[in-house]
Amino acid sequence: MVKIVYGTEPYRIDHEVRKLAENTAYYVQVFDDMDGVKEFLQSISFFGVPCAIYKVEDVKKERKELLYLMEECPESSCLIIRTEKPDNSKDWNAWKSKHGICCDKLNGKSYQCWIQKAFQSLDCPIPEPMLQYFIDRSAYAYQERRDGKDETTDLYQIAIFIKQIAFASMDTGVSKETIDQVVPAAVGKSWELASKLLLDPMEGMKLAVELFDHGNNSLKLYGLLLRNYRVAKKALLLSDMKENEILKLLGLTEKQMRGIRAYRKLPEERLDTVMSILIEAMNRTKISFGNERNLFIQTMAKLIIL
């Protein structure tokens, strides 16, 4: 038997591999390279049916060897290939279509169900408002809005968050404050941050400082804001076009387009002033040896009093 377990969600991949290897008739060995896999599969074992779990870093780099290995896998053995980087070649896709199990990231609804079950398994019921707040805070289901390190967020990390929240909520129940303490604000919500700084200044200031205090340096945050404001200004200058045309021209997602609708009510001069403040702050940060946090807070304060 040959099985290919692949996708973008390592937690789901590992879960499926464990299920496949749970057969009591199997004698399981795990391999990180191809040396020994073929010999193990062809061996006569007194401990059970040889079952090799082969963890492949990048299918494309060893496609020919893998195709040969699958072709030659004895009927009396089991080969499970685990990879987060599959290949799109014709031969590989043929095997994948017959023997593959796709384990991509969960969509919004599936993610919500997974979270509910995870909290239930820890005997920690989570109210609907807190469930929705956790989903938004974790931003797992909105990968296109994430930047930098947040792109690596997976269910393993989410599971750690849930365990920490459940432990802290044993006596009081899940609260917004507990979620905020455990789950760092996603820097990928830069559209939200940019919007709040202009339209809800105090909330924007709170989110900005929180992002900084969770390890996002000020230059990175300035850059994210500056990029978003520049796109917003382009959208303002294209105000005579339809929204779907602007979306296509600027390469925006639907969520991003919704995020900049509010900017279209603002004067162009205000966006120019905001961008000037950010550029000045970036230049000062690069040459300054002072307190970066103080300079960041001063810059955010300038933005909210405009």
Side-chain angles (χ1 to χ4, degrees):
M1 182 183 77
V2 174
K3 285 292 181 182
I4 302 169
V5 188
Y6 66 97
T8 55
E9 179 49 73
Y11 184 100
R12 295 185 63 202
I13 294 174
D14 291 339
H15 176 71
E16 289 296 332
V17 168
R18 283 194 299 271
K19 282 172 57 179
L20 289 170
E22 277 177 354
N23 192 323
T24 55
Y26 288 162
Y27 172 49
V28 181
Q29 291 281 358
V30 181
F31 297 85
D32 291 318
D33 56 61
M34 198 170 291
D35 294 342
V37 177
K38 184 177 178 182
E39 182 180 349
F40 173 74
L41 290 174
Q42 293 177 336
S43 65
I44 299 175
S45 172
F46 297 102
F47 303 103
V49 176
C51 175
I53 299 174
Y54 181 26
K55 297 181 178 181
V56 183
E57 284 292 325
D58 190 343
V59 170
K60 191 174 182 179
K61 292 181 179 179
E62 44 186 309
R63 181 199 310 145
K64 291 183 179 179
E65 293 85 352
L66 280 169
L67 291 172
Y68 177 78
L69 183 65
M70 291 187 292
E71 287 283 358
E72 296 298 313
C73 180
E75 291 184 5
S76 58
S77 299
C78 174
L79 171 62
I80 301 172
I81 295 174
R82 180 214 183 280
T83 183
E84 294 171 38
K85 288 187 178 181
D87 185 39
N88 285 320
S89 67
K90 184 178 179 180
D91 291 340
W92 180 259
N93 282 336
W95 275 92
K96 199 170 65 174
S97 64
K98 293 180 181 179
H99 306 279
I101 300 174
C102 181
C103 297
D104 283 340
K105 288 189 175 294
L106 298 174
N107 60 32
K109 190 64 178 177
S110 298
Y111 179 52
Q112 178 173 321
C113 293
W114 187 89
I115 293 171
Q116 287 176 312
K117 290 179 180 178
F119 273 105
Q120 288 171 2
S121 69
L122 297 170
D123 294 323
C124 179
I126 180 168
E128 181 66 22
M130 291 301 98
L131 173 65
Q132 294 306 319
Y133 184 73
F134 178 89
I135 290 172
D136 182 61
R137 178 82 171 180
S138 65
Y140 171 89
Y142 309 101
Q143 293 297 312
E144 71 274 13
R145 290 198 291 146
R146 288 187 167 276
D147 303 281
K149 66 180 182 181
D150 292 300
E151 292 175 357
T152 62
T153 300
D154 56 36
L155 291 181
Y156 277 116
Q157 182 60 65
I158 299 299
I160 292 173
F161 290 154
I162 291 174
K163 288 178 182 177
Q164 291 173 334
I165 291 170
F167 178 78
S169 306
M170 285 191 295
D171 298 325
T172 59
V174 179
S175 66
K176 181 176 181 294
E177 290 71 26
T178 303
I179 294 174
D180 285 347
Q181 289 173 5
V182 172
V183 185
V187 71
K189 294 185 177 182
S190 51
W191 280 103
E192 179 184 338
L193 173 56
S195 298
K196 283 187 173 181
L197 283 170
L198 287 177
L199 305 170
D200 190 354
M202 296 312 296
E203 281 297 313
M205 181 73 160
K206 180 181 174 182
L207 178 57
V209 175
E210 186 180 359
L211 287 169
F212 180 87
D213 287 341
H214 275 94
N216 300 290
N217 67 59
S218 59
L219 286 175
K220 181 176 182 178
L221 293 172
Y222 293 147
L224 288 170
L225 288 168
L226 192 58
R227 183 178 65 199
N228 289 338
Y229 288 134
R230 281 172 174 161
V231 174
K233 184 177 179 181
K234 289 179 182 178
L236 280 174
L237 296 175
L238 298 171
S239 57
D240 57 330
M241 295 176 62
K242 295 180 179 178
E243 281 195 355
N244 62 332
E245 294 174 342
I246 296 175
L247 185 148
K248 184 176 180 180
L249 181 65
L250 299 182
L252 301 174
T253 66
E254 289 285 352
K255 288 188 178 73
Q256 288 173 328
M257 192 64 217
R258 289 198 295 270
I260 66 172
R261 280 178 189 141
Y263 295 119
R264 305 181 81 172
K265 301 176 183 178
L266 298 172
E268 183 182 335
E269 295 78 13
R270 188 175 179 190
L271 284 176
D272 287 337
T273 303
V274 167
M275 288 189 284
S276 296
I277 291 173
L278 288 170
I279 292 171
E280 179 189 358
M282 291 178 78
N283 291 333
R284 286 181 61 190
T285 303
K286 291 175 183 177
I287 62 173
S288 173
F289 296 98
N291 191 312
E292 184 182 352
R293 189 175 190 275
N294 284 347
L295 177 57
F296 181 72
I297 292 175
Q298 290 170 13
T299 303
M300 295 300 106
K302 285 182 181 180
L303 297 184
I304 70 174
I305 63 176
L306 283 176

